[in-house]
Amino acid sequence: NGKNDTDFESFGKVFFNDKQGNLWVGTQGSGLYKIAKATLEIRRYAMPEGLSSNNVMGIAQAANGELLLATDGGGLNIFDPKTETFSSVQYGKTQGKLNSNALLNILVDRDANVWIGTFNGGINVYKAHKTRFETLTQTGSRKGELSHRSVLSICEAKNGQIYIGTDGGGLNRFDNRLKTFSPIPN
């Protein structure tokens, strides 16, 4: 299991093309792989050298070039390509912290906000101009709430509209002006 190990036999994979011409492969079990497209050189990143979990569920890139990794069990991992080092943001009991370390996906929207879907923790949003996470953890029991707390996917439409796929609650559309969710009928 060296730095250039190419064992891709882990269950589940997520692929991401960064702005520097690299293909990143996140796996559920053997960490993260960087493939330089120009040379096809492969580099592996795994626990305990940097990653806080070898289960990489989602990958996004911040405006500053940092790679943001949603991990299952290890919270948010941040890879700095300049120093090739990782830092992490973990679950915290105080307001403004991640409300779960079981992250399932991640999206950076056109306004540089970071949306993180969690297992049973709803959504954590890190807004570009703030210094803490905002959590959207409703249960769907009232109008305007997220229909389920486990968020499997988050995507942004061309018009900037955010859509959230849940585990058991269907698809939701987020109204950024009202800060509410509405279910999308089948």
Side-chain angles (χ1 to χ4, degrees):
N1 286 346
K3 288 189 175 185
N4 298 315
D5 182 16
T6 57
D7 179 10
F8 288 103
E9 293 182 15
S10 293
F11 171 77
K13 294 170 187 62
V14 60
F15 299 92
F16 182 80
N17 289 301
D18 71 14
K19 296 170 187 165
Q20 290 74 34
N22 300 302
L23 173 66
W24 294 86
V25 181
T27 69
Q28 292 179 34
S30 62
L32 179 70
Y33 296 86
K34 172 183 164 185
I35 304 170
K37 289 189 217 175
T39 63
L40 298 182
E41 177 187 348
I42 298 173
R43 170 125 190 232
R44 178 179 179 227
Y45 302 91
M47 291 176 64
E49 302 94 24
L51 279 178
S52 59
S53 170
N54 281 339
N55 299 313
V56 179
M57 308 300 287
I59 305 171
Q61 190 165 26
N64 66 1
E66 290 178 332
L67 215 58
L68 308 174
L69 309 165
T71 72
D72 186 4
L76 176 65
N77 283 233
I78 304 163
F79 177 74
D80 184 339
K82 295 179 188 101
T83 61
E84 296 247 333
T85 58
F86 289 89
S87 60
S88 69
V89 178
Q90 302 281 320
Y91 162 80
K93 292 185 179 183
T94 59
Q95 188 177 16
K97 301 286 186 183
L98 275 176
N99 70 349
S100 174
N101 276 337
L103 310 183
L104 299 178
N105 50 70
I106 190 164
L107 167 80
V108 177
D109 71 17
R110 64 179 65 194
D111 296 322
N113 301 313
V114 179
W115 295 72
I116 301 171
T118 70
F119 173 75
N120 208 32
I123 299 171
N124 290 255
V125 183
Y126 187 87
K127 299 207 172 171
H129 60 281
K130 299 228 175 159
T131 58
R132 62 183 181 84
F133 285 94
E134 177 181 317
T135 57
L136 306 168
T137 58
Q138 300 98 336
T139 62
S141 59
R142 292 187 303 233
K143 185 177 181 184
E145 290 185 337
L146 185 63
S147 62
H148 199 280
R149 291 172 61 102
S150 287
V151 176
L152 299 178
S153 60
I154 304 172
C155 73
E156 182 177 26
K158 288 183 181 180
N159 65 1
Q161 189 70 59
I162 301 291
Y163 292 90
I164 296 99
T166 67
D167 184 10
L171 185 63
N172 293 244
R173 180 176 45 240
F174 181 70
D175 185 319
N176 195 34
R177 187 176 55 81
L178 298 174
K179 306 292 186 232
T180 60
F181 297 90
S182 57
I184 306 296
N186 291 336

